[in-house]
Amino acid sequence: MIEVNPADENEVFQIISESKKENKKVGIRGFGAHTKREIKPDIIIVTTERLNNFEISENKVIADSGADVKKIREEASQKDLLLPSIYDGSIGGLLALNEISSLSTAYGTPWNFTEWVDFITAFGKIRWRIVIGSQGLFGVITKASLRLYERPNKVFIYERGITDKREFKHELRKLIGLKPIALLVEYEGDSKTFEVHASYITQLELEGYSKDEGIPMISEVSDKNSYIVEIGDFVEDFISVAEKVSPYYMYGIYGVNLLKVYVTDDSLLKDFKYYPRNKPHPVFYKLKRILDFYNIFT
């Protein structure tokens, strides 16, 4: 493995051009501890550590791909602005994964709050949001413009565990009707319990729920045995996957038509549209044939 650390977009393009001439594969690495893949010894790894500048102006941030999401979030907060992500890596990683968070309920995924993205291919620089979620399949993300939002003064979180499916359905639809800023639902296979975590910018009286300040956090340790399942109706399909698949764990964010499901045998998902969590959506492999015509990126 050869690791290179370009300082600007020209150097990125030069690295890609030389890799094309030498018929070598290129991979991309930020600094987030998220999706991991096996790295082969003959791959050239482009790191984005030196591409780390960002500037906040009015209601947006223009950031290099190596800029720290946490630092942007903190600086935006000082200006009473919100970058609606709790991702703890680089901007490039956030966009490459189109990483969802509990705040996706109100603000959507990075696809929704990103204005434009620059990425470098063997043909040069392209400005196109289509690269969001592609996990480095056809280019090196170098810069992006993301919208910022007014930061709420206080956010209240309400949590409850429910075992009865009818009660869960009723409570979930009630919480959705109250327009949460964040709504995370988990399913614990061992106890067959639905754990509900809903956040609002106003205080509510919800019987049977614990109350605190904050937003729900997704605690993940590994992508092993995890799959993304595409769904339509959040409430009905969440219950359907729990019943038909019996995963040992899964979670979903209301507002995003995806569930992350943990199973030891993916054949249990045969009745659903799904793909491995550590790989991009299958549509990106079709786009790769066009945007990475020389099949450089891996």
Side-chain angles (χ1 to χ4, degrees), residues 225 227 245 263-271 274 276:
N225 299 330
Y227 300 86
V245 178
V263 290
T264 54
D265 181 2
D266 70 319
S267 67
L268 296 170
L269 298 167
K270 65 182 187 310
D271 294 331
Y274 75 97

Side-chain angles (χ1 to χ4, degrees), residues 276-292:
R277 171 64 182 90
N278 64 352
K279 294 184 179 180
H281 190 283
V283 71
F284 288 110
Y285 289 95
K286 297 179 180 179
L287 287 168
K288 180 176 174 66
R289 299 171 192 168
I290 301 170
L291 294 171
D292 185 23

Side-chain angles (χ1 to χ4, degrees), residues 117-121 123-128 130 138 142 291:
V117 185
D118 287 345
F119 62 103
I120 308 296
T121 73
F123 302 104
K125 183 165 73 174
I126 298 174
R127 177 167 290 187
W128 197 12
I130 197 66
F138 41 72
T142 54
L291 294 171

Side-chain angles (χ1 to χ4, degrees), residues 139-157:
V140 180
I141 293 173
T142 54
K143 191 182 291 287
S145 175
L146 298 88
R147 287 187 291 274
L148 303 175
Y149 301 84
E150 182 180 351
R151 183 173 65 87
N153 291 325
K154 279 190 177 181
V155 178
F156 302 92
I157 184 171

